[in-house]
Amino acid sequence: MLSPRPTAVRVVPARVCGGVLAGLAGAMGVLLALPASWSDYPDRYPGFRLGLPWQTPYPSMLPALIAALAVAGVVAAVRPAAARAVAVVAALAGLQAAGIAVVARRDWWNFAGADGASHQRAAAGSLLAAVLAVVAVAVVVVSVLLYRTGRGRQRPLRWQVAGGVVAGVVVAVVVPALLCAHWYYTSVTAFGQFALWWSLPWGAGLVAAGTVPDSAARQTAVLSVLASVLLAVFCLAAPTVFGFGVRLPD
């Protein structure tokens, strides 16, 4: 039996997309590091501080996602042959970062009202969160372009397509419902936050794992979802990472 022909890659576009991804990851890191992305409560009340995890509404998974995006961009630029697998990693990380930013845009106002940060800082933080969401969406777009630089097809079997789609839809809907039941939340807001943070990116990853026409990309999608799940578990089990916490709905 002949081995499948290796996937050809348009090298220059792949390198360009990789460089753009790395640049977008850097921009996200800068936005996260800006003072307006952090509470001004310690400045207003010297001697009193919020708990270490609550200095920003962003969870501790966000820096890890930004780091993953930066690495993905560098890998794509240096090794274009891995373009499709890298594109899947970047797209799922970008999708999750966008969901986190959308939730943070709302949470900044709750953060100011409940925890002592000024409303001016809340307005600035909410605006930065919106910009962060736009940058993360740009990451997803560039990831799609990066994926398209690959050539060759290794189409999945029908049962893989069906299994991926069904699993993705189930995870996207059932996971937030189970989390709401576990924490006794009844609001649509809580369901939406869990979906944006976790279940929608995981569901999209599972759909990709069953449908994209590249076996390496499908395997990478499964591993990316698994890594994201482990990261979420870490965030819930160890919420005292300096400056970051898992801010569940009030």
Side-chain angles (χ1 to χ4, degrees):
M1 181 180 294
L2 296 176
S3 60
R5 190 168 64 89
T7 299
V9 177
R10 290 180 290 168
V11 174
V12 172
R15 293 188 190 279
V16 171
C17 288
V20 173
L21 281 178
L24 291 173
M28 293 172 69
V30 170
L31 290 171
L32 185 62
L34 290 175
S37 292
W38 297 78
S39 171
D40 61 352
Y41 181 85
D43 300 331
R44 297 170 66 234
Y45 300 100
F48 296 90
R49 296 179 65 86
L50 295 172
L52 289 180
W54 306 114
Q55 293 180 15
T56 178
Y58 295 108
S60 53
M61 69 185 74
L62 183 57
L65 293 173
I66 294 174
L69 286 172
V71 172
V74 172
V75 171
V78 173
R79 191 169 182 271
R84 284 191 161 180
V86 169
V88 170
V89 173
L92 296 181
L95 185 60
Q96 191 165 18
I100 288 173
V102 169
V103 172
R105 185 179 184 278
R106 178 214 64 183
D107 272 353
W108 261 112
W109 295 102
N110 296 333
F111 196 67
D115 294 330
S118 69
H119 288 279
Q120 291 81 4
R121 181 59 63 87
S126 181
L127 177 61
L128 283 183
V131 175
L132 184 63
V134 172
V135 176
V137 171
V139 166
V140 177
V141 173
V142 174
S143 299
V144 173
L145 296 176
L146 176 61
Y147 183 89
R148 290 172 63 87
T149 64
R151 298 290 190 184
R153 292 181 179 274
Q154 297 168 322
R155 290 190 176 278
L157 301 175
R158 289 184 179 179
W159 67 266
Q160 290 177 306
V161 174
V165 171
V166 171
V169 172
V170 169
V171 166
V173 175
V174 172
V175 167
L178 291 177
L179 292 175
C180 286
H182 176 72
W183 280 304
Y184 301 104
Y185 293 130
T186 58
S187 66
V188 176
T189 300
F191 185 96
Q193 176 169 333
F194 295 143
L196 288 170
W197 270 17
W198 295 318
S199 70
L200 288 179
W202 296 345
L206 292 176
V207 171
T211 59
V212 294
D214 186 285
S215 61
R218 292 197 296 272
Q219 294 170 8
T220 303
V222 173
L223 294 176
S224 296
V225 172
L226 178 59
S228 181
V229 171
L230 294 176
L231 181 60
V233 172
F234 167 79
C235 291
L236 291 171
T240 56
V241 177
F242 181 81
F244 298 90
V246 177
R247 191 171 185 79
L248 298 176
D250 296 326

